[in-house]
Amino acid sequence: FDVVAGANPIIISSLDIHVRRTSNLVKVIIYTKEKSYRGHEGHKEVWQQICEVKLEPAGLWKRTIIPEEAFQAVTVLAGATQAFYIMLDKSDLRYSKGTKTGANAASNSDLRILEGNGVKGEFGKTYSPRIFNGFVNYHVINPSDPDRLGAVNTLRESHTLTTNFNGQNGHYGNMWNVRAKTAAVTVQGMEVHIRKKGKVKLEIWTKLGKYQGHESNILVWEQICCDEPIISQGEGRPTEIHASAFTPREIERGRV
């Protein structure tokens, strides 16, 4: 389902959900993405996981609370849309039948919760329209208060942006650009796709600005990883580069 912020930015600190069963622990996984979920229901690679927790469900018609410490807070700018996907380890999540996908399911002056989809399995078959049963817990950032507005610009959040692992082509290396859009970001690490499994020598280089026109000029590049060989996970699996081997790089807002 989608959440649309009102005239002020909001920080979503947690969700409370409606779970059918009361016995045994339930595993809850929550994903989010900027803009609407529509058109991306089966594309896991565009979603970011922000919660994975096992908890005691409260049962039918009761509020199963997801602790804030288990949930990575999400900032939604004024007027922006943020999608959420809640998934349990069993088919015990309860929702309601809706009237029209994208229609208002609930709203106040701060945000709107829109009618969305039910989902079978993990990123599986969808059923629509369906209405989220639960609570969106949030904080409002009032732009008339410059100190609080600054919280939106300075709030540090950890995100992972993932491309696909189709691996339909390859060679010795790959150059690309990263642009910071609405805020400065610090790139703290990477996961890469390497065909060979086992110990490999990997180097990562960076430069300010676009790579185009500098593909062969080593003098403008700086090596930020890796002094020692890494252990590759092989084809089709992400190979993690540990933070200790990677020199973080900050990208200013609007810069490449």
Side-chain angles (χ1 to χ4, degrees):
F1 62 95
D2 291 334
V3 172
V4 182
N8 296 322
I10 60 174
I11 299 174
I12 296 176
S13 57
S14 185
L15 302 174
D16 298 337
I17 59 177
H18 187 190
V19 181
R20 176 171 55 186
R21 77 173 188 256
T22 56
S23 61
N24 303 321
L25 294 177
V26 61
K27 182 178 180 180
V28 183
I29 297 176
I30 300 176
Y31 297 90
T32 191
K33 69 174 294 293
E34 292 182 351
K35 300 182 180 179
S36 177
Y37 74 87
R38 298 173 75 173
H40 304 283
E41 294 89 332
H43 301 150
K44 184 177 181 179
E45 67 274 9
V46 304
W47 294 81
Q48 178 199 354
Q49 184 176 317
I50 56 171
C51 177
E52 181 173 342
V53 64
K54 290 185 177 180
L55 47 79
E56 192 77 35
L60 280 173
W61 321 120
K62 296 182 179 180
R63 186 173 182 168
T64 294
I65 297 173
I66 298 174
E68 287 192 5
E69 58 268 23
F71 185 97
Q72 183 178 317
V74 178
T75 301
V76 187
L77 298 180
T81 299
Q82 190 77 21
F84 292 89
Y85 170 28
I86 303 167
M87 183 179 70
L88 305 187
D89 57 347
K90 303 287 185 181
S91 58
D92 289 312
L93 185 68
R94 299 292 90 189
Y95 44 69
S96 306
K97 289 185 177 181
T99 57
K100 183 181 179 181
T101 301
N104 276 355
S107 65
N108 60 22
S109 60
D110 298 324
L111 59 84
R112 294 183 291 135
I113 302 173
L114 307 185
E115 296 188 18
N117 286 348
V119 185
K120 180 179 181 180
E122 183 180 14
F123 293 94
K125 182 179 179 180
T126 60
Y127 306 89
S128 62
R130 296 292 186 268
I131 299 174
F132 166 62
N133 286 185
F135 296 79
V136 176
N137 303 305
Y138 65 94
H139 308 285
V140 177
I141 305 299
N142 189 341
S144 64
D145 183 344
D147 292 333
R148 296 203 68 193
L149 181 60
V152 174
N153 298 322
T154 61
L155 185 69
R156 298 185 66 87
E157 300 178 348
S158 296
H159 297 277
T160 299
L161 178 63
T162 306
T163 61
N164 63 62
F165 275 72
N166 291 344
Q168 296 174 342
N169 207 334
H171 218 288
Y172 284 86
N174 186 202
M175 290 183 180
W176 74 98
N177 297 320
V178 174
R179 180 186 298 275
K181 296 176 66 178
T182 59
V185 299
T186 300
V187 180
Q188 297 179 317
M190 293 184 183
E191 296 180 0
V192 296
H193 190 190
I194 301 174
R195 179 172 58 184
K196 177 183 176 182
K197 187 174 183 179
K199 187 179 291 187
V200 297
K201 174 64 175 175
L202 174 72
E203 295 180 358
I204 299 178
W205 298 72
T206 190
K207 67 173 295 293
L208 290 173
K210 296 180 179 180
Y211 74 84
Q212 287 92 337
H214 304 281
E215 293 89 332
S216 302
N217 186 4
I218 194 173
L219 297 178
V220 301
W221 293 83
E222 177 187 359
Q223 185 176 343
I224 56 173
C225 183
C226 303
D227 294 331
E228 301 293 333
I230 65 170
I231 304 301
S232 168
Q233 299 302 306
E235 193 162 18
R237 297 182 179 182
T239 293
E240 179 181 2
I241 300 169
H242 293 287
S244 59
F246 187 95
T247 303
R249 278 294 178 270
E250 182 174 346
I251 308 172
E252 296 179 3
R253 184 178 64 177
R255 299 290 300 275
V256 175

